[in-house]
């Protein structure tokens, strides 16, 4: 079992950081009812951990009896169906509507309506499943929707009224990275909970804690280096710690921290672009970009990392301009359909800027 | 009631889920316990027109329609949370009463399938159906009555006959003389969130609205009237719902607090209205969330925290970085903000003042003189200036405000930054990466701000790249402004 799963806090009071919020959540859940919730925060900040802790707090251990289901939703007006995988327990159902791409509106409309329009059996009370017997417990189901920021506008609009209408039988818990892409009506219907990424100190404490529980000696210097490489992402940091242990044990302070190969590959690509600016180089880079895309690295991620690397490597006077073009081409990438074109355009632009600058510098 | 239901259903052919909905509502009535589980927004939704807050210009004509028992087609538009849906639902309830409501009113919103087919099939069929249809078991109305109603055809009869004379269930075969609702002889179709109807669907509506005007009225509810095609809009009486100034909703919020036993001082309520920018629904949700989450007596600070507003000191860090002319500094500030989960939209919203007089900052009063809503602003200022105590003046807590008020910056620079903010907002709405967008905005703003401050070697280069030869297309959205040399 991986560290991230093994040491994932299971209840609200065991959470390692943002204890204030956890306590308040607990208070609210104890009052037997809660509004729709929206958890937002960056990757690896612990959104899902909080969601499952909330569910466990409300429904007790029976939420762990999970089953995976494939549901087929008939398309109206044609014979086809939309298939979506759901994970469900007697009390809740979890799905990622954006998995089905542009058909997500259908999922939101039909599936959630179907789930929400029937009243759940009051099994919690009968079986004594809940940790505390409360009036409202088990009176409603919970639908957990992941990645709601990837929902299409149409799907978000479809959610609006559904959320209000079936409030008495159903609560939604939404998870997303940022609320920027959510329409206001959705935000105003939820209690929005910001899950900030843990600070470096908090991550350090958790790493030491895990190491202690695993009975391994974690040199302080290595710990600090892992925290820095982890970029305030707890999941990443813990995975790195585990990778270090696999690579070499006992741990050494200056041991190499393994990063994913695609990241190293990207860093190399960026270095290449800074070293040489020519049409030939662009062709070479194109091959590398294709390789990344073929390996299912999302183009947004490639863009982000590439831009960060180039910004780090180029001269401080160029940064504002590079940042501008990175934002410009990334925007186009989102609107367009062929990611490779925009990635290349950005690299070509970067080469042009960089070359002009270095020529000017040599002239001067 | 039962006869009515039987009479109604074959005609109106309600959709499948309508059944479920009716059942759900019936069970809700039976089970008062679930009442507690309703969100306050639903629980305290205005039941009658008189309960709707602030929209007097809309309510008084509607009341006249109600007295006459007749309606034109309606088009409600206005920002979210101003009471559009509540008004039409309250109106429908006052028109038809509980017995007839479900058979006469059809509500369609964005959660229902609403392509052109739905307009053709569901809406048209519902609109076509006559309200006087009776099953064979019910005797026809009195001949004299029929004759009289024959005299006044179509729309006029309801006005001529007045409310209770021929309207109501009496004509539907379920004689009941004491039905106290006007219950006019037409049905009502509410198309909620109509701006998400496709243009095709709207075109399909045009003729349907005219041909079935005798037996059906439409009410379109939308946020943006510009998204409703002109032919449809011109068939409706338009009603604009205004943004609620904070104090107007205070009574309503107080009433909710009283009935739910929430201890909340007025200044906290005002803050919740300010934070939600006149959206009463959001204010009520905030109130409920704060009550659930914190319990006890509520303070304005709790609302500020709940609304996800970036705290002043964090914004201060960002704006100071903008002045520092150090890209690393800026990147760190932005990285920190995003890692703490603050959404980019919020950062921008706080960087740029919102067009409403009530902005999501605790310091709205100070900036009110800049906002276009001059009528609202002074009132707000008088109300809240002595209630929200100002802490230390935040240095550049609002980028654009700060830029506008900064005497050192030229007008060109100010315009540049405003332009960049608009661009970034658009790109974010299109789903572009937050980090890159905010980074670019910050870099451009920093460059503009610091350009005159010290000899910037990068400036010469950046100005030459206005039109990049690599991309010959003119790109008004990209190049121009930030690269423009500031004079």
């Amino acid at each position: 079992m991986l560290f991230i799963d093994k040491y994932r806090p299971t209840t609200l009071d065991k959470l390692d950081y943002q204890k204030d919020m956890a306590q308040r959540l607990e208070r609210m859940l104890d009052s037997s009812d809660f509004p729709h919730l929206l958890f937002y925060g960056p990757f690896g900040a612990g959104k899902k951990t909080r969601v499952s802790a909330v569910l466990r707090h409300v429904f007790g251990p029976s939420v762990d009896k999970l089953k995976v289901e494939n549901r087929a939703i008939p398309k109206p007006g044609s014979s086809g169906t939309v298939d979506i995988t759901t994970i469900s327990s007697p009390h809740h159902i979890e799905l990622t509507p954006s998995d089905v791409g542009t058909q997500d509106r259908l999922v939101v409309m039909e599936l959630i309506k179907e789930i929400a329009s029937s009243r759940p059996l009051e099994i919690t009370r009968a079986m004594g499943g809940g940790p505390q017997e409360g009036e409202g417990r088990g009176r409603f189901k919970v639908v957990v929707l992941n990645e709601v920021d990837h929902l299409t506008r149409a799907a978000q609009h479809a959610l609006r009224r559904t959320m209000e209408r079936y409030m008495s039988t159903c609560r939604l818990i939404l998870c997303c990275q940022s609320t920027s892409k959510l329409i206001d009506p959705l935000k105003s219907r939820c209690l929005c909970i910001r899950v900030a990424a843990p600070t470096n100190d908090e991550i350090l404490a958790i790493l030491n804690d895990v190491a202690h529980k695993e009975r391994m000696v974690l040199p302080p210097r290595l710990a600090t280096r892992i925290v820095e490489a982890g970029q305030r992402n707890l999941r990443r940091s813990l995975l790195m710690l585990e990778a270090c242990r696999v690579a070499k044990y006992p741990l050494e302070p200056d041991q190499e921290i393994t990063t994913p190969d695609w990241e190293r590959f990207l860093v190399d690509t960026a270095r290449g672009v800074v070293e040489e600016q020519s049409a030939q180089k662009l062709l070479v880079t194109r091959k590398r970009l294709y390789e990344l895309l073929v390996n299912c690295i999302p183009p947004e991620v490639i863009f982000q990392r590439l831009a960060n690397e180039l910004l780090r490597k180029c001269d401080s006077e160029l940064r504002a301009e590079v940042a501008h073009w990175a934002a410009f081409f990334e925007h186009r990438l989102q609107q367009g359909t062929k990611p490779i074109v925009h990635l290349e355009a950005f690299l070509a632009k970067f080469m042009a800027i960089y070359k002009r600058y270095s020529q000017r510098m040599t002239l001067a | 009631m039962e006869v009515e239901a039987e009479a109604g259903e074959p005609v109106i052919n309600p959709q499948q889920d309508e059944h479920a909905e009716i059942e759900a509502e019936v069970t809700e009535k039976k089970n008062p316990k679930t009442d507690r589980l309703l969100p306050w927004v639903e629980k305290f939704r205005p039941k009658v027109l008189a309960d709707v807050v602030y929209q007097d210009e809309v309510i008084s004509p509607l009341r006249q329609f109600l007295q006459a028992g007749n309606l034109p087609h309606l088009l409600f538009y206005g920002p979210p949370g101003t009471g559009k849906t509540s008004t039409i639902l309250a109106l429908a309830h006052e028109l038809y009463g509980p017995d007839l409501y479900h058979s006469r009113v059809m509500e369609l919103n964005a959660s229902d399938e609403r392509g052109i087919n739905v307009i053709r099939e569901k809406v048209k069929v519902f609109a076509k159906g006559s309200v006087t249809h009776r099953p064979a078991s019910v005797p026809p109305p009195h001949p004299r009555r029929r004759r009289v109603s024959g005299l006044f055809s179509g729309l006029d009869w309801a006005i001529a006959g007045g409310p209770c004379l021929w309207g109501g269930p009496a004509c539907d075969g379920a004689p009941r003389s004491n039905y106290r609702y006007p219950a006019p002889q037409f049905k009502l179709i509410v198309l909620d969130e109509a701006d998400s109807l496709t243009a095709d669907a709207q075109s399909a509506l045009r003729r349907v609205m005219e041909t079935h005007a005798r037996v059906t009225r439409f009410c379109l509810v939308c946020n943006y009237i510009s998204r409703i095609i002109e032919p449809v809009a011109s068939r409706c009486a338009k009603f604009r719902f205004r943004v609620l100034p904070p104090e107007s909703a205070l009574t309503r919020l107080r009433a909710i607090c009283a009935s739910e036993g929430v201890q909340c001082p007025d200044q906290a309520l005002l803050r919740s209205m300010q934070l939600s920018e006149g959206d009463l629904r959001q204010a009520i949700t905030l109130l409920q969330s704060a009550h659930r989450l914190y319990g006890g007596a509520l303070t304005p600070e709790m609302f500020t925290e709940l609304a996800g507003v970036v705290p002043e000191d964090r914004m201060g860090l960002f704006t100071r970085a903008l002045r520092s002319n150090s890209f690393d500094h800026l990147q760190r500030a932005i990285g920190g903000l995003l890692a703490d989960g603050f959404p980019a939209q919020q950062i921008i919203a706080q960087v740029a003042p919102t067009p409403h007089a009530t902005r999501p900052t605790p310091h709205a009063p100070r900036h009110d003189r800049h906002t276009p809503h001059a009528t609202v602003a002074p009132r707000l200022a008088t109300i809240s200036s002595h209630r929200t105590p100002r802490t230390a003046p935040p240095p550049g807590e609002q980028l654009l405000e700060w830029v506008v008020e900064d005497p050192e910056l030229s007008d060109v620079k100010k315009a540049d930054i405003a332009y960049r903010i608009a661009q970034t907002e658009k790109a974010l709405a299109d789903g572009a990466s937050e980090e890159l967008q905010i980074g670019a905005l910050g870099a451009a703003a920093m460059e503009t701000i610091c350009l005159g401050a010290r000899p910037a070697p990068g400036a010469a280069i950046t100005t030459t790249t206005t039109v990049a030869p690599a991309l010959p297309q003119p790109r008004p959205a990209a190049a121009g402004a930030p690269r423009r040399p500031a004079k």
Side-chain angles (χ1 to χ4, degrees), chain B residues 94-151:
Chain B
E94 282 193 51
L95 264 182
Y96 297 108
D99 290 0
L100 281 175
Y101 181 82
H102 290 297
S103 62
R104 293 282 185 85
V105 181
M106 176 170 171
E107 198 194 332
L108 280 175
N109 54 60
S111 72
D112 305 295
E113 185 66 50
R114 284 202 305 189
I116 186 166
N117 281 337
V118 177
I119 299 290
R120 280 194 189 130
E121 287 155 20
K122 277 191 196 157
V123 174
K124 208 168 164 184
V125 169
F126 183 83
K128 221 191 280 180
S130 152
V131 276
T132 51
H133 179 92
R134 296 175 319 277
S137 60
V138 178
H142 196 273
R144 192 171 65 91
R145 200 180 278 162
R146 190 194 276 164
R147 204 174 57 236
V148 175
S149 55
L151 279 179

Side-chain angles (χ1 to χ4, degrees), chain A residues 21 24-25 27-28 31-35 40-42 76 105-106 109 113 117 119 135-136 139-140 153 157-158 160-162 164-165 167-168 171 178-181 188-192 194-197 232 303-304 307-308 311 317-321 323-332 334-335 349 356-357 360, chain B residues 17 21 27-28 31 33-34 36-37 39 42 45 107 109-113 193 223 279 281-282 285 289 291-295 305-306 308 327-328 331 336 338-345 420 426-437 439-440 443 447 457-458 461-462 464-465 468-469 471 475 478 482-483:
Chain A
M21 183 47 86
R24 282 190 214 119
L25 270 178
R27 243 189 61 93
M28 182 178 79
S31 70
S32 85
D33 180 28
F34 61 93
Y40 64 98
R105 190 174 63 103
L106 212 60
M109 268 167 37
K113 257 188 200 171
S117 55
R119 206 171 274 281
E135 264 300 306
R139 284 188 176 277
F140 47 77
R153 276 288 151 92
H157 278 291
R160 284 169 68 162
R161 198 64 192 135
T162 314
E164 282 182 352
R165 183 177 290 166
M167 186 76 187
S168 61
R171 295 290 181 281
S178 161
T179 58
S180 294
K181 286 169 212 165
S188 78
R189 281 171 176 80
C190 298
L191 168 54
C192 303
R194 180 170 57 85
V195 185
R232 288 188 73 182
F303 212 112
Q304 182 77 59
N308 282 353
L311 279 174
E317 287 158 23
L318 289 179
R319 282 182 181 166
E321 200 181 352
H324 166 75
W325 289 111
F328 173 75
F329 284 112
E330 207 273 344
H331 180 203
R332 286 216 167 160
Q334 292 293 342
Q335 291 180 313
K349 184 77 199 166
R356 194 174 304 140
Y357 176 73
R360 199 176 293 252
Chain B
D17 61 334
E21 202 180 311
T27 38
E28 257 165 42
N31 196 347
K33 276 182 200 164
T34 48
R36 283 193 317 110
L37 299 186
E42 289 297 306
R45 203 184 261 289
E107 198 194 332
N109 54 60
S111 72
D112 305 295
E113 185 66 50
E193 292 144 33
N223 290 136
D279 179 342
R281 172 175 42 220
Q282 199 181 355
T285 315
S289 307
H291 176 60
R292 291 261 174 73
L293 212 53
Y294 298 96
E305 193 179 322
L306 259 186
F327 196 80
D328 290 325
Q331 251 188 336
L338 292 178
D340 278 340
F342 292 110
Q345 206 91 16
R420 285 302 306 216
K426 156 85 174 108
L428 281 174
D430 287 342
S433 146
E434 303 204 329
E435 198 176 336
L436 290 176
Q437 287 299 330
E447 201 181 56
I461 291 154
T462 49
T464 55
T465 55
L471 297 160
R475 281 161 288 106
R483 313 280 151 235

